[in-house]
Every structure is written in C-alpha cells, then in structure tokens.
Amino acid sequence: MPLATRESAPHIVLSGDLDLAVASELRDAGAAVAKAVAPGRLEMDLSDVTFIDSSGLGALVAVHNYAKELGSTLVLLRAGPIVARFFELAGVRDYFNIE
Amino acid sequence: MGTGDSAEPAEVDMDRLFLSAGEVGARMLEVDWDATPLGAPATWPQSLRSVVHVVLSSKFSMWMAWGSQLTFFCNDKYRLDTLGAKYPWALGRPAAEVWAEIWDDIAPRINSVLRSGEATWDESLQLFLERNGYQEETYHTFSYSPLSGEDGTVAGMLCVVSEDTERVIGERRLDLLRRLGTALTRARTEEEVIKATRRELASQPTVLPFALLYAFDQGAGRLAFAVGADTGESIAPQSAQLQDGLWPLGDLVSHESLLVDDLQSRFAEVPKGAWGEPVSSALLMSIGTTGSTSPYGVLVAGLNRFRPFDEGYRGFLELVANQISSSMSNARAYDAERQRAQDLAALDRAKTAFFTNVSHEFRTPLTLILGPVADALNDRTDPLSASQRVRLDTVYQSSERLLKLVNTLLEFSRLEAGKAEAQTQITDLGTETKVIAEMFRSAIERAGLRFEVYCSPSNVAVRVDPEMWAKIVSNLLSNALKFTFEGGITVRLVRDGDFVELSVKDSGIGIRAEDQVHMFERFHRVEGARSRSFEGSGIGLALVAELIALHDGSITAESAPGAGTTFAVRLAAAPDDGINAAPETRVGAGIVSGYVAEAMRWLGPDGELVQETSGKAPVPGGEDLPTVLVADDNPDMRRYIQSLLEERYNVVTVADGEAALDSVRSMTPDIVISDVMMPKLDGFGLLEAIRGDRATASTPVILLSARAGEESAVEGLDAGADDYLVKPFSAVELLARVRSNLELEQARRAAARREHEIAIELQQALAPVPSPNALHLEVATFYQPGESGTEVGGDWYETIDLGRSRTALVIGDVMGKGISAAATMGQLRSIVRAYAGLDMPPAELLEAVDARLRELGGDQIATCVYAVVDAPARSVEYANAGHLPPLVVRDGIADRLVGSLGPPLGAGPVLLESSQVTLESGATVVLYTDGLVETRAGDTDARIDRAARLASVWDGDVDGLPEALVSDLCPGGAADDVAILVARFRTPRPASSFEIVLGSDKAGAATARRFASEVAARWSPPPAIDDLTLLVSEMATNAILHARPPVTLRLTHLDDEVLIEISDGSASGPTRKHPRPYDEHGRGLQIMAVVARRWGVITEGNGKTVWATLSTR
C-alpha cells in the first residue's frame, strides 16, 4: 500500500482494496504517523480506494482511536461512493471526521 | 131473455150468474146438476137462485146447502180460504160428503137450523179439517142460518164463516212467549232459568206438546227438564249420548236447528201432548251462550202434528230458543260473577283470620319487650349508659310501631267478626278534632308544609266513639303527610245542615283514578307511589272506612295525580241536646301520639328525606377509612347501621336504590350495604346496575333482606352479591361481614396488581424470538398481543433446524391467559425443542409432548402444529393436535392442510398420524393462531378461506405477508393474540453452482472476491456486484480468521437469488455481535446481516456452512 505523506500535515493517500490482506499494515502505519504528529491532525485520502470491508474499517477505527488517545485527530478525505456506502452500511459515518 | 111484457118476475139467469162469478162460477157451470136432486139450474126455484146469487157475489166467505141432500155451494172466498184441496170436487156434492170429517161436529148444528129455523153461532170452534190431505187443527167463527124455499119452509142453510186459525194459534204462541219472557227476566241463576222455562213451556200444550232441554255436560247431554213427558221415558232419557244417541244432539253443535220427523219409529213411546195422537216430529234447536263458542245445550220441541210446520211455526220456536239462550247466558255470567265475589270474600276472610292468629302470637312477646325496655329506659336507680340508651330507644320505637300494626290488624278482625261496637258519646267534635289535628302540627311543619286547621266553634255535637274518631283523623292526617312533599294540609270541620263534614285536604301526589276504586279495600297499596315511608300493610284507609261505617257515616275522596287529595267524612249531627261536659280526649291522645311519633321518624333532622351522612366530625385519618354506602328505605335501619359502623368507616346513607346507584357511581364506595326492598330501584336492580358497569363492577355488595331461607340467600349470591344478611342481624354479624368483605376486596385488588406486574414481565420474557433463517426456507413471523387486557396469552411459534436441510415449523396455543398459561407455553416450547432435537416424526413428537404436558398437571390444554420441511425430499410432513389447519400455497392455489387432525394436547392420551404433502419451489406454508380468524361472529371458516385467498395471490416477499394478513383480517386489531409463521420453500438449481477452495492466508478474501465477480458475470440477471463482493469478502474473511480449513466458497444461482456458501470444518459458527462504532472487531457478521437478503448457518456432522443470499431482482 503506497503511502505518500506530506510533511506539513501528514497526509496519507490510501489506494486499492482495504481488506484483510492490508488491514494490519494499515493500522500499524497509521498508528505510527498518528504518534508522530501528535497532537495534531492526520489526514487520510481515500479517493483511490477501490474496496473496503470490515477488516479495512477495523484498521481505520483503530487508527482513529489511537490518534484520539494521543490527542490527535484523524481526518478522512474524499471518500468515494463505494467507501461512503460502506460507511453507511456499517453505521460509522458519523463516527469519523470526514471532510 | 125477451123484452116482452111478461108478468113473471125477472128471473136470474143462472148461466150469466155463473159466468160472472169468477173461478167458482166457471166450475159450477161444469157441475152435472142433473145428477143432483136440484136438477138443472134453469129449473131452480127463485128462492134458490136468489140465494146462490147472493152467495156467489159476496166477497165474504160463505157456503150453503139446499135440498134433500143438502147440496153444497160455496163462493170464491170460501174455496180459497177453507175448501182447500176439496175444490172443485165439493161443488154440487152432498154437504155430508164434503165435510165428512167434521160432520159429527156440524151436523147437529145444521139439523137444528133446519128444524128450528134459528141460526147458530160458533166462535173459534176447533175443527179438524182434512182439506189439505192431513188432519188440520183449525178454528172458525161461523153462523148457520136457515134458507127458505118457495113455500116458506126451510129448504137449506147458509153458512157465513171466517177462519180464525192463524189468530188463535198466533195468540197461543204469543202467550207462551210473553209468559216465558216475563218469567225469564226474573230468573237470575241457571237453576232459575231452567225452572222458569219449564213452567212456561208447559203452559201451551197444544202449541208445544212436549219439550226437553238437554245441557251439554262433560261430553254428554244431561236432561235439565222435561215438559209433557216424564224423565226417564224413552223419549227423555236422563243422560243422552251426543253422537249415535236417539236424539242427534251432537249435530246441534254445528247447526242451529234440526228437524227430526220420525219420532214414532225412533222411540218406543211418544207423548201425545194435548192431543189424542202421538207427536210425530220435533225440532231440535241449539241453545247457545252469547260470547262463547260452545253452546249450552239443545232444546227439543215436540211439534203439533195438526199444524203444518211453516215459517210462522219455525219462527215462533226460534224465538223461544233465543229467549232461553240469552237468559242462559246471563245466568251463566251471573253465576260466574257470584262465584268470584264469593271467592274474593273467602280470600279476604282468610287473610284476616291469618292475621288475627298471627297478631295474637305477636302481642305477648311485644309486650314483654316493651315493658322491660321501658323500665330500663326509666330506671333512675341504675340508669343506662348513653350508648345503651340509644340502642334501647331504637328498640322501643320499633317495638311500638310493631305493636301498633298488630293492633290495627286485630281491630280489623274484630270489625270483621262483628264484635266491635262503637262506644259512642255525644262529643264536641270541633274541639276534639282540633286537639287531634294540632298534635300533628310540629311534624307537618317540620316537613316544611303549611298546616291549617279550621274546626267550627264548639257547637258541633256528634255522637262518636272518641277512640275511633281519633284513629280516623290520625289516619287521614298521617296519610296526608306521607304523600305530600310541598304545599300544605288543611283540616276543616263544618256543619252542613243535619250533617257534619270533616275534610282533610292535601297538595300531595294525588291518587290515580284506577287506584281510587280500590282505595278503601284492605291490603291495597299503591305501587310505585312516592311517599315518605314505604312501610305499611295497606290497611289504614280500609280501617277508616269501616270505622266510619260503624257510625253510619260516609267517606269520599277527590283526587287527581299531581293535584292533591281531599278526603271528606260525613256524619249525622246529633240532636242539640247537650254535649258531654268533659269530652274524653285523653283516650284518643295515646293513639294519636303513636301516629305522630311514626310521622316524626319519616323526617330527618331537617325534615327532608336527604342523603344522611355521618354526623360525626371527620376522624383524623378519616379520608383513609374505607367508605361504606348504606341503602335502606327505613330511617331507623339506616341510623342503626350507621351507628354500628361509623367508628371504623366513613358511612354514607341513602334511602332508595336510585340514590344508591348515583352515589356508587359518583363516589365509588369501598363497599355497599343495601336493603332488598326499596322504592325506585330495589336491591337486586341496584346490584345488577353495579355489576353491569365496568367501573363499579368489582364493588363488594352486601344485601340485607327480611326474607329468610336458604333460597333467598342463594338468590342473592347468585345475583352477584358478595354476601347476604337476613334481618334481624346482630351488630357483631354486620361488622364481621363488612370487615371480611372489605379485606377480601383489598386482598383481591393487591393480588390483581401483583399478577398484572408479573404477567407483563413474563410476557416480555416469553415474547417470540425472531427465528434464524433456513437456507431452503424463507421464514417470516409475526406476533401481536391481543387487545383484551394486558394478560399474556399462550401463543408461540418456532422454527427449529433439524440438520440435513430439514426445518421444523411449530405453532401452538395454550388455552387461557395469565401466568399459568404463559408458564405452560414456556414449558411446552422447551419440550418441543427437546423432542425436535431427537428428530422424532411429527405425530410421535406431539404424542410425546402431550404425555409430558399431562404429567405437568395443572389441567392445561394446548393446540399445536408440528411440521417438518424436508428440502431434499421436497416435502413437508406434519401433525396437528387440535389446532387450526395450516395453509399451503402452491402455484397460486391455496389449500388447507387438513390431514392428521387430532385432539388438543393435555386433554387425554393423544393418538396422531402424520400427513405429508409435496412442495415445489416457491410453495408457501402459513401457520397461524386463532386470534387471526376467530371472531364473535363465528365465521371462522370463511375467514380462513379469506386468509388462504390472500396468501394465494401474494407475490411479494414473505416478509410482508403476515402483516398483510393481519391488516386484511383484523383491521381494527384483534381481541386475542395473533401469531403467524410463514415459510416459503426454495430449491436450488444445482447446475448453476460454482466452487472454490480458499487458502487460509489473508489474500483469500481478495481471491474470493475475484472468484465471485467472475462467476457473477456469467449470470443473468447479474446480482449487484458491489454487494456480492462485499458479502463474499466478509464471509471469506470470517472463515479465514476463525474457521478450520479447508474453506470452500460456493456460489449458486437460485431463481431470484444468489446463494453464497462458505463451508469449513469447524462446527462452531459465527455469533453475531453488536459492535459499537469504536469497536475494531466483530463487524463482519453485522455487515453480512445488513447486506444479505437472508443468511444462516447450517451445521452438519463435523463442519458447518455459513450461507447468505442476495436478491437478483
């Protein structure tokens, strides 16, 4: 999973399928960045995400929680229709900070 | 005839004469005169010619005889009136031949005329002519006079005659009718009618030779009298059969009259009446009774054989019969009236005698009560305490009243026996009356009424018995007060010529005309009249009337409902010879005070008959005291009960049933004590009203009654009373009953509350759980509690996975409601599940469940359907224990599954057989409970059909069917619980199945997704790819994370769904969690449940399959 970061406000671009295969990696990387920017804002760009299921969601939730604990804020950007629909199904749309 | 101057006198031309003499003349022409001694008419001497001329031209009836043979001549009138059939034969014959039958009678007369030349005269002589072929009774008035011949000797005779028959006979008939009529007017009873009739009918034996009267008596004829015949003679048997008797009496029931004309052949001996010959015919006539359909009997009237039975004769006899009929009717009515009067008098006497006997028995104990009680009340050395005094006062007053009643009744019986005598003295009636009236003033004014007394100054002297007068005045005043609620009462005593009149006028409720007729009768009480007191045996006015009658006075009443009543008593004034110096008013005073005391008791403290409430100051904490409502029309009883109860309860009293009902509704007392006999609404009516109103239905009611006996108590309890007390009752008893009934009621309420709470809890605990889906069955369920009460019902349903693609569908209904039904339902579910786990066939399973249910005891009954859907076998096998028939819809046609219907569970050993039907894909089974289809209208069958129709046209998801059924069949909600289980059967199309084995590495999710996309692309219509991939991903992820390999993914294309199955080797299935948003894990199944149309888990042996479907529509 390519991860591009901008140093100013850490901006992670996610792409491809966020499923079981990449879930733990996503969680670990995200947690690391969250720790690095804390307290601060951490952005994840979802425009290139082609698939997400509960495994992927679990990872995002983990990062979100971890960031919060550290006083950081995880912000999800540009969620496409697939992701948006999934968030709806999972009932987590209001949980995340989505911009 | 020539016109010559002949010296011969003008001769009568016989031919011309004959020709001009009408019919007779014509006949005379035809007579062969030469054969007679007279020769040809032309040879007749002038004297003969002249006479013949006179006779023939007269309009008066005449006949004549001339010559040696007394040759016969007559004129037209004679031949019409008298000759009859003998004409024209008689003309020119010897008279002796013509009247051979009466020659013995008339010959002497004729001979005397011929000899002596002197005429004869006979008036209304009875002659039996045979002019019409039979012997006929006739009467003629006639004169025979001599006719002189040429030589001056008597050559013949002339008869001038007029027939009197009609008149004579008519007179006789009229006489009989008149005598009969007169005698009958005096006859009152049946016996007198019979006597009078017999006497009068015998008065004219020529007209009525004999007469018999038979009365219909118990199906036979009884001889009431016989005239002209002897009783017992063959013609007059004492008792005659109605049918087949010698007299055809029975025929007279339907006919008015009947002629019997063969008497001599019918009877051995026939009376002759006044004649020498036996009677040959009789007329039978029905003697009726007006106003009744059954006749009294039959009059047999013998007929005079010498008269023709013409209309006149018949008319006469009918008149006789009618007179007897109407008299008999009157007599019968009179007899009935008399009997009734006798019966009434006997009844009256019986009542009085009864009362007398009873009264004597009463007086002794009453005296023994009054005496000692009076002593106790007046005891100064050992005085009573206040509370005891109150009690004994009540005792004394009630006993006094009882004694007064007894005395009144005794007085009556004395009057009746004639033993009472008025002990009169000349009295100053004005003063006397005034004194009596004034004693009532305080009571009348306390009742809020005006009272005016106008008694003339003391110059009205009347001879009266003072005691009786006191009773008369007191009774009238007492009544006036009793029935007057507004306005006033006026007493007036005035002199009116030789009379004295007392009038008592009130502005009360008045008396209806119908009641006025019976006012002075003993034991008459007006029903439903509004009055201050409903006690009294109805004897007062009757006593007054009798007392007045003893004084030779009169009493009248003028009244109209709503307009008041005036009683007026008139007595003869005594001659003014001084009044008793000291009129004894004291004798009357004791009597009067009794009446006054009674009147006072009708009036409450403020003179009105108001709702008496407890007079005490409110007891601290008094609002918490239970409220007792006491209803009784007797003020003493109300006071008594109130005094007993008011220390412990709030007591409210009312005087009649209507007021009681109002109070019950407005203040909802905790308990009601009510008398049974009350005006306006009696105890039973009050009870019915209380029980009929849901708001008040549970109020405890104790009925008080004076009617003793087990039946009355049972009657009271049957009517819904909680308790029944017979007067007299003791204080202890009343208190105990009130307390126990109140406590019972409180306990009931507490228990009801508790039960209600428990029931709610239980209901929630036992609410049917949404069932997991089976792969081959789409299941939809529905449960709605009934509206009647919040008691939990006994309905339940269940789907149980039996493995190997078999699912059990269960629906059941435990009869009854409440905790026990709910508990039984819970137990039954467990039992069914347990046996289902053993995979028993439906019939055996239900039999086993039945056995277990009966073992539980508690007499619970349940209905149940147990159906096993076998997917591989494509069938459903079922058994039904007393439940409504399940429905199955196949190919748009709905059928009832009616096989294998047995009795309900729990009622006795159950023997069932399973039945089976095949299922095609899409077949739908509908199980339901009676709340859906049973209504009070009883049209269950039609409603089942309706549900079936609806199910058969349902083409949507099964999810919506239960609700659709409920809203169609029970739009307003159902009284009973409704439970519905719908299952639609699905078979896969094995040919469209694709499989892949997934590895246990994390990439397996992606692999699964790819596979799914590829497979789906081949299908048309294709499913929603995004959903499919998501679903597959979740299921695969789950399996990879938790399952034991190998994990197989299978995709199958069904009719309108895609089936995704993931099988693995571990038996433990996924449990659905409810992850919170912040949970990292546990979302997989949640997503699956949301996305999939249906999903489930099938466990087989040592593995499981998690499956889900997606709609392709």
Side-chain angles (χ1 to χ4, degrees), chain B residues 714-778:
Chain B
V714 171
E715 198 188 339
L717 294 171
D718 263 346
D722 294 87
D723 218 333
Y724 195 90
L725 267 182
V726 176
K727 299 185 211 176
F729 49 82
S730 69
V732 173
E733 223 182 315
L734 178 69
L735 273 170
R737 300 292 182 107
V738 170
R739 186 167 60 230
S740 68
N741 274 291
L742 273 176
E743 281 174 5
L744 209 58
E745 176 61 18
Q746 276 163 6
R748 260 206 299 264
R749 286 193 200 160
R753 261 199 309 275
R754 242 192 343 266
E755 181 171 321
H756 184 83
E757 283 159 20
I758 294 179
I760 300 271
E761 270 181 50
L762 191 54
Q763 181 167 35
Q764 286 164 358
L766 291 177
V769 175
S771 55
N773 277 316
L775 174 57
H776 48 272
L777 277 185
E778 271 179 69

Side-chain angles (χ1 to χ4, degrees), chain B residues 239 546 798 979:
Chain B
S239 168
E546 296 257 351
E798 196 103 48

Side-chain angles (χ1 to χ4, degrees), chain A:
Chain A
M1 174 202 66
L3 208 64
T5 43
R6 265 211 312 263
E7 288 304 331
S8 50
H11 182 101
I12 304 174
V13 177
L14 305 178
S15 60
D17 297 345
L18 301 181
D19 71 351
L20 180 63
V22 305
S24 36
E25 207 186 314
L26 170 58
R27 192 184 61 236
D28 293 342
V33 173
K35 187 164 174 192
V37 305
R41 182 183 157 103
L42 164 63
E43 292 173 352
M44 283 196 179
D45 188 321
L46 304 176
S47 47
D48 269 345
V49 172
T50 48
F51 178 81
I52 177 168
D53 67 11
S54 60
S55 308
L57 175 60
L60 288 177
V61 168
V63 173
H64 175 99
N65 290 349
Y66 190 64
K68 203 148 104 178
E69 258 176 65
L70 299 178
S72 304
T73 314
L74 172 65
V75 177
L76 303 179
L77 303 174
R78 297 213 276 272
I82 295 174
V83 174
R85 181 164 175 263
F86 177 76
F87 278 177
E88 197 73 48
L89 286 175
V92 296
R93 197 178 61 97
D94 296 328
Y95 186 70
F96 291 112
N97 308 313
I98 301 177
E99 289 170 19

Side-chain angles (χ1 to χ4, degrees), chain B residues 305-327:
Chain B
R305 65 184 293 164
F306 301 117
R307 290 298 310 158
F309 185 52
D310 57 11
E311 270 199 41
Y313 202 166
R314 181 185 276 276
F316 156 69
L317 287 174
E318 279 171 7
L319 278 175
V320 171
N322 283 349
Q323 280 201 334
I324 300 174
S325 289
S326 75
S327 288

Side-chain angles (χ1 to χ4, degrees), chain B residues 474-484 506 540-541 567 602:
Chain B
S474 300
N475 243 301
L476 291 177
L477 274 175
S478 183
N479 270 0
L481 174 55
K482 203 164 162 187
F483 292 103
T484 306
D506 69 57
L541 275 181
F567 282 96
W602 301 333

Side-chain angles (χ1 to χ4, degrees), chain B residues 505-525:
Chain B
K505 178 178 158 125
D506 69 57
S507 58
I509 61 171
I511 309 169
R512 291 177 311 188
E514 311 87 275
D515 291 313
Q516 283 182 42
V517 175
H518 301 290
M519 222 168 28
F520 295 109
E521 283 170 22
R522 254 177 264 174
F523 304 120
H524 179 83
R525 287 181 59 176

Side-chain angles (χ1 to χ4, degrees), chain B residues 31-47:
Chain B
V31 173
D32 182 7
W33 291 109
D34 286 324
T36 73
L38 301 180
T43 66
W44 291 353
Q46 182 61 33
S47 39

